Amino acid sequence: MDLIESYREDLRFARRPIARVLLALLVAGLVALPWFAPDHLVFLATLVALYSIGVMGQNLLIGYTGQISFAQAAFLAIGAFTFGHLRIWGLPFPLALAGAGALAALVGVLVGFPSLRLKGPYLAIATLGFGVAVYQVFVNFEALSGGRTGLAIAKLKPMFGLSAAHTQYYVYLLLVTAFTLVTYNLVSSYVGRAFVAIRDADLAAEVNGVNLTRYKLLAFAVSSFYTGVHGALYAQVLGHIDPQIFNLLESLTLFVAVVVGGIASIEGSILGALFVIAVPKLLADYRELVPIIYGLGILLVLMFEPLGLYGGWLKTRLYFRNWPFR
Amino acid sequence: MAGLLEVGDLSLAFGGIKAIEGVSLSVLESETLAVIGPNGSGKTSLFNCITGIYRPTSGAIAFHGASLLGHTPDEIARAGVARTFQNLRLFHNMTVLDNLMVGRHLHFAKNLAAAALRLRAEEIRHRSRCEEIIEFLNLEPVRKSRAGDCPYGVQKRVELGRALATEPRLLLLDEPVSGLTQEEKEEFGYWVHEIRGRFRITVLFVEHDLRFASRLADRMVALDHGVKIAEGTPAEVQRHPEVVKAYVGN
């Protein structure tokens, strides 16, 4: 029997024992991954980790707050180039990362201002325009982008006797864990409730004391911070960045990850990141099919499983919980 | 004595359409005032002006001596005015409990770092306030249900609970019992009565059900085509010739 005896217990993270066991197994598996998995899988896991951060950020904005945005690539670029320049100026990795996120958040607030007036598709178009503009700025201003040669970024130094790739994997695993926990905490706090309230009924949120301006801008700031950090971590993995990487398709990739993974779900964000990393890898020989799979993915999700991959997992869980009844 | 809410010579026009024309009324501390009137007489527009959703064309609205004009809805909520909506506006994808917790939003200290680090002492304090309201409105069975999945009568209660959770001094109810069964109306009448008695909240409500309205209200105001046509005790207002004319014609 599952009895909750206090409000505090009700608010606990991973309250059910089974959830804790599964979580522990997952963490143990991820920590042990480099010991049994080949290096290219560890590299893919690194990519999933960094994409998860960006997708979670976008999910906070699109899924939780309901502000549809297509400016993801712009924030990735801002994060990546800020990080690149700060590293070249000699800042250590954590500071450069924080700087990249902070600048992206600042720009995010500016991009958020149209959201105070525009809703739904109109906001999507405005942010799309911003994404294209930032792309053009980076392509055309060589001082920002390092020109044709782009920016070269020094690799992370190996630590604790691990190989460089494994060090990077563990750093990214730590970061994605921290971001995931913070996201869980935010979403279950007054901030998350204000975000969802704005999405579900903005007028009612307002007459209940939620300052729309403040929370819409906060959603843009937080999500851009996440996306900026994603851009920085991506730059670190690539070791070399040029503006061509951050095109419209990259925005769409994050959007696809949010929708296919599951709107307004943290687990879904991680599954979505897995999806957009795994699909291009599995279709390495048929690159041209990737956008088709993405488009098909969105269509199928919207038609059959509005909560995405996470919704599928919920149903599976329910099936086993109720087994043998159905 | 000046009332808790003073509406003076209020007018609201949408282009050539005059929704409210020179309405004045005052809501006294701890009374229950009903606003009645046929469809399109400006009752909901009046509520929207008071809660800052519409900007009136002219006139004054003062709450506890301070003007509400030019303030955003969230500032007005913080000043102590709460409302429900005629066509429910719940947060459908949240649980009933979370809907009420949004009502507590303006009482939170709003410490972002504490939220990110999962420090939940404040959350628990507000949770216990919400539980009091849940108990008052008999919402225990649906506490963790998705608000959008609840039946209409329950959703109406959730909206009332959410407004109560803000701990208002003035509660505006927009057609609290429309669409409810007779039994649910009786219950709602009890709650509205209790809100005044137990929570000492002043209530201003719009209602089409005249029997319900006259039973609960101390005073009644009638609007027609945006103009105040009568004010007084429920019995007086309902016999007023202008009111009879507005409802049943000549």
Side-chain angles (χ1 to χ4, degrees):
Chain A
M1 222 11 228
D2 184 29
L3 265 182
I4 303 165
E5 289 178 349
S6 70
Y7 299 149
R8 186 169 290 282
E9 194 180 335
D10 201 20
L11 292 172
R12 192 174 292 160
F13 179 70
R15 183 178 52 78
R16 295 162 62 87
I18 178 86
R20 278 186 232 168
V21 170
L22 288 176
L23 204 62
L25 283 176
L26 179 70
V27 171
L30 287 174
V31 169
L33 191 74
W35 303 109
F36 61 82
D39 275 0
H40 72 273
L41 269 185
V42 175
F43 179 69
L44 284 185
T46 310
L47 285 181
V48 172
L50 78 91
Y51 265 77
S52 296
I53 295 175
V55 178
M56 269 188 276
Q58 288 308 313
N59 214 336
L60 280 175
L61 184 68
I62 298 170
Y64 285 91
T65 322
Q67 309 294 308
I68 296 170
S69 154
F70 285 106
Q72 291 88 349
F75 295 115
L76 291 178
I78 291 166
F81 283 101
T82 310
F83 178 76
H85 284 292
L86 290 178
R87 287 289 277 161
I88 289 167
W89 290 347
L91 256 67
F93 173 80
L95 282 183
L97 198 63
L103 189 66
L106 203 67
V107 179
V109 171
L110 295 181
V111 178
F113 274 103
S115 78
L116 306 177
R117 278 306 178 87
L118 302 174
K119 282 184 184 176
Y122 303 98
L123 178 65
I125 291 168
T127 51
L128 182 70
F130 173 76
V132 173
V134 168
Y135 174 73
Q136 290 299 332
V137 165
F138 276 110
V139 167
N140 289 307
F141 286 80
E142 301 205 339
L144 287 176
S145 64
R148 252 171 227 286
T149 50
L151 288 184
I153 292 157
K155 289 273 170 204
L156 278 177
K157 281 201 191 69
M159 290 183 286
F160 309 116
L162 295 162
S163 72
H166 288 181
T167 307
Q168 183 169 266
Y169 170 73
Y170 282 118
V171 169
Y172 282 33
L173 184 61
L174 202 67
L175 281 169
V176 74
T177 309
F179 271 90
T180 308
L181 288 176
V182 166
T183 315
Y184 269 114
N185 295 350
L186 275 185
V187 161
S188 61
S189 73
Y190 72 92
V191 180
R193 279 193 300 265
F195 285 173
V196 177
I198 290 172
R199 180 194 68 196
D200 278 3
D202 52 355
L203 200 60
E206 225 180 345
V207 301
N208 279 288
V210 176
N211 185 330
L212 279 195
T213 308
R214 185 175 303 159
Y215 284 90
K216 277 187 178 178
L217 294 183
L218 183 67
F220 269 94
V222 172
S223 82
S224 312
F225 182 88
Y226 281 53
T227 313
V229 167
H230 170 168
L233 294 175
Y234 196 37
Q236 179 69 65
V237 165
L238 294 177
H240 180 268
I241 43 172
D242 69 79
Q244 304 294 343
I245 303 168
F246 305 104
N247 53 25
L248 188 59
L249 193 66
E250 201 55 34
S251 287
L252 291 178
T253 303
L254 282 191
F255 188 76
V256 167
V258 168
V259 175
V260 172
I263 292 273
S265 142
I266 295 162
E267 298 89 332
S269 305
I270 297 168
L271 291 173
L274 195 62
F275 178 79
V276 294
I277 296 298
V279 165
K281 277 300 156 209
L282 295 174
L283 295 174
D285 297 335
Y286 309 95
R287 266 281 138 97
E288 62 282 2
L289 283 181
V290 170
I292 299 176
I293 299 283
Y294 283 178
L296 215 57
I298 288 204
L299 272 180
L300 291 176
V301 160
L302 292 183
M303 282 163 69
F304 298 111
E305 188 69 275
L307 287 177
L309 295 172
Y310 178 64
W313 153 249
L314 277 184
K315 282 185 184 159
T316 318
R317 201 174 67 176
L318 195 65
Y319 175 82
F320 281 107
R321 195 177 280 176
N322 292 344
W323 194 86
F325 306 102
R326 41 177 300 155
Chain B
M1 183 191 117
L4 181 66
L5 180 81
E6 291 283 351
V7 176
D9 201 19
L10 191 77
S11 295
L12 173 73
F14 299 105
I17 300 164
K18 296 191 174 73
I20 304 177
E21 267 186 283
V23 167
S24 299
L25 60 88
S26 75
V27 186
L28 305 177
E29 185 94 48
S30 75
E31 77 168 339
T32 302
L33 179 68
V35 179
I36 63 164
N39 289 330
S41 59
K43 306 180 297 290
T44 300
S45 294
L46 175 70
F47 272 25
N48 285 344
C49 286
I50 296 171
T51 48
I53 294 166
Y54 291 162
R55 294 270 158 102
T57 322
S58 66
I61 302 172
F63 177 65
H64 217 257
S67 176
L68 292 184
L69 292 182
H71 287 279
T72 56
D74 61 289
E75 287 167 348
I76 292 171
R78 217 161 299 138
V81 181
R83 74 170 286 181
T84 64
F85 292 90
Q86 182 179 354
N87 317 310
L88 298 170
R89 288 176 194 270
L90 285 179
F91 309 124
H92 282 276
N93 295 305
M94 283 190 202
T95 62
V96 167
L97 175 65
D98 277 343
N99 268 274
L100 300 194
M101 287 295 276
V102 173
R104 297 299 302 172
H105 181 87
L106 52 89
H107 296 286
F108 270 80
K110 305 197 182 65
N111 184 337
L112 197 60
L117 295 174
R118 214 181 185 82
L119 303 177
R120 288 294 144 85
E122 192 181 23
E123 180 98 6
I124 289 164
R125 209 170 62 238
H126 290 300
R127 169 78 187 270
S128 56
R129 293 308 302 269
C130 285
E131 290 292 338
E132 286 168 20
I133 294 167
I134 285 175
E135 193 193 344
F136 173 57
L137 295 174
N138 299 337
L139 287 168
E140 292 97 334
V142 293
R143 186 190 279 126
K144 291 278 173 94
S145 308
R146 191 175 155 272
D149 293 341
C150 293
Y152 186 75
V154 174
Q155 293 192 355
K156 283 242 162 194
R157 256 145 69 193
V158 176
E159 229 195 21
L160 178 64
R162 188 178 66 188
L164 281 181
T166 66
E167 290 185 38
R169 301 183 59 179
L170 174 67
L171 179 61
L172 310 182
L173 303 173
D174 199 347
E175 303 205 9
V177 297
S178 67
L180 297 185
T181 64
Q182 195 54 43
E183 204 172 319
E184 286 169 330
K185 281 184 187 181
E186 295 290 334
E187 278 184 324
F188 234 90
Y190 162 74
W191 283 317
V192 174
H193 192 74
E194 276 294 290
I195 283 167
R196 182 190 176 188
R198 198 194 303 191
F199 297 99
R200 306 251 164 249
I201 295 170
T202 308
V203 178
L204 172 63
F205 71 101
V206 161
E207 189 47 67
H208 273 302
D209 184 331
L210 289 182
R211 195 177 336 166
F212 179 87
S214 47
R215 226 183 54 202
L216 281 174
D218 302 313
R219 289 192 308 130
M220 202 175 250
V221 167
L223 298 181
D224 189 28
H225 295 297
V227 181
K228 185 166 92 174
I229 53 175
E231 181 172 2
T233 65
E236 282 166 14
V237 169
Q238 284 175 51
R239 288 197 189 87
H240 196 282
E242 286 285 328
V243 176
V244 175
K245 195 175 142 198
Y247 272 93
V248 296
N250 288 310

